[in-house]
Amino acid sequence: MSGVSSITIISIPDNEITILSDTLINRLVDITKISNTLILVPLTKTINSNSLIKVLGNELTPTSDTSVYRSGFNSINTTSDTQIHREPDINILSNSRVKVLFEMSGIDSDTLILAVYDITKSSDSAIFKADSKIIKESRSAIYLAAQTKSKTSDTRIKRTVDLTKLSDSSVRRDRSNIRVIFQKGRQL
Amino acid sequence: MSFGGKTLTFVQGNTHEGMKWTIVDEERGFPIDITGATINVLVQSVDGSSTIINRVATTITATEGTCKLVPITGEMNIPGNYKVQLHIVFPDTTEVYVQNMFITIVSALS
């Protein structure tokens, strides 16, 4: 195992990852320094961001409200009000966000959504995408998934396929009961 | 006699006075537009043993939810108590049955 260092210092004991500061991430086995502020690389996990990511064995543990995490397979954990995700592989897409793929479970926050399978970074403020199911979750935007999804702005996401109403605004209702006035007469 | 619903009385053999219905949205109080709807009227003895009328009502003003049925010769020939049912089929295929209406056919005094 090789050690790596950045502007700060990272120590890498056998098979352990240690966070040394709020700007560093680390991990074991082979570590590759990428910049003066980033470090990473494990065997099966690749993560990076200027924020924080921590990787311990097969688990990702949230480290801040702006980070991304992951834990094992098949489970998604919400860790903050701003991000959620999960997957086997993690790909870094920008210096500010990370996302995930694979299976998606329920998640939600007041500002973001989640995804499945492929994940595509679209902006620094939102993440989306899904396949299978998505679940609504916000008062400011509704998202969903299943096929095609198009990012339309940094705060809204547009989607197709089934839409399920989940907000407090309007709901269409069917015809209400009827009442019949029964009369008789001539020359009706 | 009260049957628990609105009861209209007709004289035996009547073919001049008809029945009129105004269909209203119960919650909003507005007439329901029955344009394109089919409203079938069934008049049956209260014990269900005989049917004296079973045909489609005539729309008066669709947007006001009104329709009527004027009996023809032979339909109101037998005195007795009858229950009335409307079967309304709207253009979107939704349908509603309205019951709790009755008529009494009485013999003319002589």
Side-chain angles (χ1 to χ4, degrees):
Chain A
M1 169 157 300
S2 62
V4 187
S5 61
S6 71
I7 278 186
T8 19
I9 295 174
I10 295 176
S11 70
I12 299 172
D14 291 342
N15 286 332
E16 286 186 346
I17 292 185
T18 305
I19 288 184
L20 303 175
S21 78
D22 285 348
T23 55
L24 291 186
I25 301 170
N26 10 91
R27 230 241 143 193
L28 46 148
V29 188
D30 298 318
I31 291 188
T32 305
K33 181 171 191 295
I34 295 174
S35 76
N36 285 335
T37 54
L38 293 182
I39 301 176
L40 356 138
V41 181
L43 284 181
T44 57
K45 298 152 195 107
T46 303
I47 331 81
N48 342 39
S49 90
N50 284 329
S51 41
L52 295 180
I53 298 175
K54 181 175 165 190
V55 180
L56 300 176
N58 268 337
E59 289 186 323
L60 262 185
T61 305
T63 49
S64 80
D65 283 349
T66 54
S67 297
V68 181
Y69 335 107
R70 156 185 191 262
S71 56
F73 284 35
N74 295 328
S75 54
I76 292 186
N77 294 330
T78 295
T79 48
S80 79
D81 285 344
T82 53
Q83 303 270 86
I84 304 165
H85 329 288
R86 128 359 130 216
E87 62 13 288
D89 302 311
I90 293 184
N91 293 327
I92 207 284
L93 302 173
S94 82
N95 285 333
S96 57
R97 297 278 151 147
V98 181
K99 359 323 179 108
V100 184
L101 22 147
F102 228 173
E103 277 181 294
M104 181 25 176
S105 306
I107 340 70
D108 329 43
S109 81
D110 284 333
T111 51
L112 285 195
I113 309 167
L114 23 16
V116 188
Y117 291 99
D118 302 312
I119 280 199
T120 305
K121 205 304 189 160
S122 325
S123 83
D124 287 332
S125 58
I127 300 175
F128 355 109
K129 212 306 190 176
D131 191 324
S132 307
K133 24 177 183 180
I134 270 209
I135 309 143
K136 173 279 167 162
E137 353 265 333
S138 122
R139 292 192 174 167
S140 56
I142 297 179
Y143 327 102
L144 210 155
Q147 268 128 306
T148 319
K149 193 172 284 163
S150 304
K151 165 87 165 55
T152 51
S153 77
D154 285 348
T155 54
R156 298 274 157 158
I157 297 174
K158 178 183 164 194
R159 84 168 273 278
T160 40
V161 189
D162 300 323
L163 193 12
T164 304
K165 167 61 161 71
L166 307 160
S167 78
D168 293 327
S169 37
S170 59
V171 179
R172 179 171 173 267
R173 55 194 286 239
D174 292 332
R175 181 181 291 122
S176 62
N177 291 335
I178 68 171
R179 177 167 54 88
V180 171
I181 300 168
F182 184 35
Q183 300 169 297
K184 74 168 189 176
R186 298 184 52 144
Q187 300 178 343
L188 293 174
Chain B
M1 178 178 291
S2 172
F3 300 98
K6 179 73 176 289
T7 302
L8 304 179
T9 300
F10 296 91
V11 173
Q12 179 181 16
N14 164 62
T15 56
H16 301 289
E17 287 188 305
M19 294 174 278
K20 175 186 176 183
W21 296 271
T22 303
I23 301 165
V24 177
D25 183 307
E26 187 171 48
E27 293 182 16
R28 301 172 185 80
F30 301 139
I32 292 176
D33 188 343
I34 56 173
T35 301
T38 300
I39 302 174
N40 193 76
V41 181
L42 180 67
V43 180
Q44 201 171 67
S45 58
V46 292
D47 63 2
S49 62
S50 64
T51 298
I52 59 172
I53 298 175
N54 185 8
R55 57 189 172 95
V56 174
T58 302
T59 297
I60 301 174
T61 305
T63 54
E64 294 177 0
T66 55
C67 63
K68 66 178 181 180
L69 186 143
V70 178
I72 59 176
T73 302
E75 286 182 327
M76 289 193 173
N77 276 356
I78 304 173
N81 298 312
Y82 297 87
K83 52 192 177 184
V84 179
Q85 172 185 276
L86 293 188
H87 178 202
I88 307 169
V89 180
F90 291 97
D92 63 359
T93 72
T94 57
E95 55 186 343
V96 177
Y97 287 91
V98 181
Q99 297 180 342
N100 206 31
M101 298 175 287
F102 302 88
I103 64 171
T104 296
I105 299 176
V106 297
S107 301
L109 299 178
S110 57

